[in-house]
């Protein structure tokens, strides 16, 4: 870590004490992740509840309100960047074309993994542990080859499309707890570009397709996911069709709706349309997830975090979900954009092409 006193903008670089604080926080979060992984193997019911009913339900709201915090403490990001922090990475810069292809692969992977939760991952701790181990192995491997976040966090991570959709109006910019210098590993940088969204980068056809699928497809995909119950039977072609039928149908419907509305709105209003679909997606998630966690699910085999069905009236759950939706639409659609990035861009490395970054930011209209 460079000495902040030697930099032209010291506030952009964490002090040694700040670095130590973030490393402690990251270690604690990583330890929680390891604990969940161990529980998935030896205490599967505990691990499944901790992952799917505690960690995952918190993540969408965190991405909406303060995406920079998640980007700093994500356990997979921590292991991905471990080789870079130890100076073991080959520090290659991923090409624009490859990064675009991997971003498209990421959203497709998300659309495949999520419906499979109904068939295996929601109920099988060992299978979920294998899924997490595979993601960890891929992220670490890419960390040994590619510099900073270009190899996983900004490309192949299946959560990254959701980060870009939900995190367009973050509360404030966090310090960058990973990168101590900017080497333009991704242009535009998702961490340091204000008000980023999935269509910000349109350099290739792959970028364009992944942006459309994320913005237009995700709300309907989420709705479709919650129309399917978990299945404990053996996996068959019929079960696979049942698991994917409604999510894919919902994806197609909202994607077509987005493409139609996109033609009707002006270029100036396109960002408002994107924000509406983002708010619809996260609102839809909590509209179904909150009742299920509190015992009000329409499916009897849903795992309940805290059963309040016989404690509070049904109308109170409806009130909570309505208020949650109102909050997300206010935050993402009606709240004035604050032009803040997820994290503060660190100082450029010596020889970094500053004008390249600035040109990319201007091109995206940020």
């Amino acid at each position: 870590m460079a000495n902040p006193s030697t930099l032209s903008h010291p506030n952009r670089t964490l002090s040694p004490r700040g670095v130590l604080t973030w490393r402690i926080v990251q270690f604690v979060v990583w330890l929680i992740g390891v604990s969940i992984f161990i529980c998935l193997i030896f205490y599967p019911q505990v691990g499944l509840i901790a992952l799917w009913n505690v960690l995952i339900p918190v993540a969408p709201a965190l991405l909406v309100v303060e995406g920079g915090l998640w980007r700093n403490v994500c356990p997979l990001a921590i292991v991905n960047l471990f080789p870079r922090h130890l100076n073991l990475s080959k520090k290659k810069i991923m090409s624009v074309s490859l990064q675009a292809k991997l971003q498209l692969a990421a959203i497709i992977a998300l659309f495949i993994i999520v419906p499979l939760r109904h068939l295996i991952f929601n109920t099988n701790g060992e299978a979920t542990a294998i899924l997490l181990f595979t993601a960890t192995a891929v992220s670490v491997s890419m960390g040994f080859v590619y510099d900073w976040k270009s190899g996983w966090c900004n490309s192949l991570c299946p959560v990254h499309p959701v980060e870009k959709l939900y995190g367009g109006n973050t509360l404030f910019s966090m310090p960058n707890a990973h990168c101590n210098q900017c080497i333009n590993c991704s242009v535009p940088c998702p961490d340091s570009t204000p008000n980023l969204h999935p269509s910000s980068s349109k350099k290739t056809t792959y970028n364009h397709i992944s942006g459309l699928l994320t913005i237009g497809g995700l709300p309907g995909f989420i709705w479709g996911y919650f129309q399917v119950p978990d299945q404990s039977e053996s996996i068959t072609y019929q079960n696979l069709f049942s698991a994917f039928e409604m999510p894919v149908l919902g994806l197609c419907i909202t994607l077509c709706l987005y493409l139609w509305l996109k033609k009707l709105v002006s270029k100036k209003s396109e960002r408002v349309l994107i924000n509406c679909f983002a708010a619809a997606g996260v609102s839809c998630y909590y509209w179904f997830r909150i009742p299920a966690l509190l015992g009000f699910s329409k499916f009897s085999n849903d795992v309940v975090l805290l059963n309040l069905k016989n404690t509070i009236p049904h109308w109170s759950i409806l009130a909570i979900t309505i208020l949650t939706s109102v909050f997300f639409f206010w935050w993402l659609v009606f709240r004035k954009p604050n032009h803040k990035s997820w994290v503060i861009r660190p100082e450029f490395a010596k020889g970094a092409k500053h004008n390249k970054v600035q040109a990319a930011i201007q091109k995206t209209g940020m």
Side-chain angles (χ1 to χ4, degrees):
M1 177 70 69
N3 186 340
S5 63
T6 65
L7 302 175
S8 57
H9 299 284
N11 61 310
R12 294 185 179 182
T13 303
L14 283 170
S15 66
R17 183 176 179 180
V19 172
L20 177 61
T21 300
W22 275 107
R23 294 294 176 265
I24 293 173
V25 173
Q26 289 168 346
F27 177 74
V28 171
V29 174
W30 176 83
L31 201 59
I32 293 173
V34 172
S35 300
I36 292 175
F37 178 79
I38 293 173
C39 286
L40 286 169
I41 299 174
F42 298 103
Y43 307 97
Q45 292 305 315
V46 175
L48 290 170
I49 291 174
L51 178 63
W52 300 124
N53 286 10
V54 179
L55 178 61
I56 297 302
V58 171
L62 180 60
L63 295 179
V64 170
V65 177
E66 191 47 65
L69 177 60
W70 174 251
R71 295 282 290 185
N72 278 343
V73 302
C74 170
L76 280 179
I78 293 171
V79 296
N80 167 244
L81 294 169
F82 200 60
R84 183 59 172 83
H85 288 302
L86 294 180
N87 202 30
L88 298 176
S89 174
K90 292 183 179 180
K91 303 178 184 179
K92 291 185 178 181
I93 301 296
M94 185 178 291
S95 68
V96 171
S97 175
L98 178 57
Q99 194 167 67
K101 292 175 183 177
L102 292 181
Q103 287 173 354
L104 178 57
I107 186 63
I108 293 174
L110 180 69
F111 290 152
I112 293 174
I113 293 171
V114 171
L116 289 177
R117 285 181 54 182
H118 288 307
L119 299 181
I120 184 169
F121 297 128
N122 280 353
T123 56
N124 191 314
E126 291 183 357
T128 306
I130 292 173
L131 175 67
L132 295 182
F133 178 81
T134 302
T136 301
V138 173
S139 66
V140 172
S141 300
M142 299 187 80
F144 276 105
V145 178
Y146 295 102
D147 210 358
W148 290 120
K149 295 184 177 182
S150 62
W152 172 260
C153 299
N154 298 347
S155 57
L156 194 55
C157 173
V159 179
H160 186 51
V162 185
E163 293 174 340
K164 290 195 291 186
L165 181 63
Y166 291 169
N169 200 10
T170 190
L171 182 60
F172 58 85
S173 298
M174 302 285 292
N176 195 320
H178 284 296
C179 306
N180 58 1
Q181 287 183 320
C182 179
I183 50 89
N184 295 335
C185 67
S186 301
V187 179
C189 171
D191 283 301
S192 305
T193 303
N195 303 120
L196 188 77
H197 60 79
S199 291
S200 293
S201 178
K202 298 180 180 179
K203 293 187 283 292
T204 71
T205 302
Y206 301 104
N207 293 124
H208 182 66
I209 295 174
S210 60
L212 290 177
L213 287 174
T214 303
I215 300 167
L218 198 57
F221 177 80
I222 294 171
W223 173 85
Y225 170 82
F226 286 107
Q227 309 311 308
V228 183
D230 290 344
Q231 303 177 34
S232 56
E233 305 171 2
S234 59
I235 299 178
T236 63
Y237 289 114
Q238 183 177 357
N239 289 342
L240 279 171
F241 180 80
S242 298
F244 282 87
E245 179 185 14
M246 294 305 292
V248 172
L249 177 62
L251 183 156
C252 293
I253 292 174
T254 54
L255 177 59
C256 291
L257 177 62
Y258 173 70
L259 291 173
W260 176 64
L261 293 174
K262 191 171 181 289
K263 291 182 179 180
L264 298 181
V265 303
S266 64
K267 192 70 176 177
K268 186 177 180 181
S269 302
E270 184 177 346
R271 182 55 196 267
V272 177
L273 178 63
I274 293 173
N275 291 343
C276 286
F277 272 74
V282 68
S283 297
C284 183
Y285 175 81
Y286 285 108
W287 185 272
F288 292 101
R289 200 69 187 100
I290 291 176
L293 290 173
L294 300 181
F296 288 84
S297 174
K298 62 181 180 180
F299 300 121
S300 60
N301 60 342
D302 274 355
V303 177
V304 177
L305 182 63
L306 181 63
N307 195 342
L308 300 179
K309 191 170 184 178
N310 298 321
T311 305
I312 60 176
H314 188 274
W315 63 262
S316 61
I317 292 295
L318 180 61
I320 292 173
T321 53
I322 290 175
L323 289 174
T324 303
S325 299
V326 169
F327 168 76
F328 286 122
F329 270 91
W330 169 75
W331 187 276
L332 291 170
V333 180
F334 299 103
R335 177 171 168 262
K336 184 178 179 180
N338 56 19
H339 303 293
K340 293 185 182 297
S341 57
W342 294 337
V343 300
I344 301 171
R345 186 189 296 275
E347 294 298 318
F348 285 99
K350 186 177 180 180
K353 298 179 181 180
H354 299 58
N355 57 339
K356 182 179 179 182
V357 175
Q358 295 300 327
I361 294 175
Q362 292 175 2
K363 185 177 180 180
T364 57
M366 300 299 170

